[in-house]
Amino acid sequence: SSVRSPISCGRAMGEAAAQQPAEEDGGPSLLQRFLNIGKRCVGIFAKSSPPEPNPEVALYLQSINIQQRHLLTIYNVFHAMKGLEEDDSFYTTVYAVNAEVLPVLIEDRRKWVLKLLKCILKLGDCETEATWDKFLWVMLRFCSLNKVELAQALFLCILRIRDSTTYHYIRYYELGEFFA
C-alpha cells in the first residue's frame, strides 16, 4: 500500500538513513532527511477534507450516488499519489497530481494496462497533470461504462495508440500488434 502507517513511518526513517547519500556526497543532511520523513508521517494525520468538486462533477457524483465517505476514500488515494511525487513537501489539501504517478493505480497486469490508462488520461486531458476534478470525472466515468461503451473506449484507444489510418474498423494485424 502506498499510504504509510505510523509504524511504517518509523521504519522509513531508518531506511532513509541507509538509502540517502552521506553529507560529504552533497546529499541532504541527517536533519533534512529526518524532517522530510517527519513531514510525510505528519501528512498522514493532517489531511484536510477533499476539495469541493466543480458543479458539473458534483452533479455527476450525485447521479451515480457517490456518498461523502466514498469521495473521502477516493481522495485518500489521490492524496497518497501526491506523496509519491519527487518533492519533499507537506500537503494538507491536494488539488492536482502529476500524471506520471497515476500508473500506481494499476496493481495487476500493469505492463498491458498502462497503454490504455495513458490513452484514457489523454482523452480526459490529463496527460501531464490530473486535477482533482479531472481525476474524479475521468476515473468515475470510465469505471461506470457498460460493456458496449467499454468496447467503444477500447476501440478508440487502440486506434489512437496504433495511430491507425482507418477510423471505422481495426485490421486483424493491428489487433495482433496491439495485444502482442
Side-chain angles (χ1 to χ4, degrees), residues 104-121:
V104 300
L105 293 171
I106 305 167
E107 294 179 359
D108 300 323
R109 300 183 177 135
R110 185 174 289 164
K111 177 183 172 183
W112 296 281
V113 180
L114 188 57
K115 293 187 285 186
L116 295 174
L117 176 66
K118 286 182 180 180
C119 180
I120 292 164
L121 293 172

Side-chain angles (χ1 to χ4, degrees), residues 112-164:
W112 296 281
V113 180
L114 188 57
K115 293 187 285 186
L116 295 174
L117 176 66
K118 286 182 180 180
C119 180
I120 292 164
L121 293 172
K122 188 175 184 175
L123 289 171
D125 192 29
C126 299
E127 289 178 86
T128 57
E129 180 181 73
T131 63
W132 173 237
D133 286 329
K134 286 182 181 180
F135 178 79
L136 279 175
W137 183 262
V138 170
M139 293 300 159
L140 292 176
R141 289 296 258 184
F142 180 75
C143 290
S144 63
L145 295 177
N146 63 33
K147 289 179 185 178
V148 173
E149 293 166 336
L150 193 57
Q152 290 172 339
L154 180 61
F155 176 80
L156 283 173
C157 286
I158 291 172
L159 288 177
R160 282 182 179 255
I161 291 169
R162 297 291 310 141
D163 198 23
S164 179

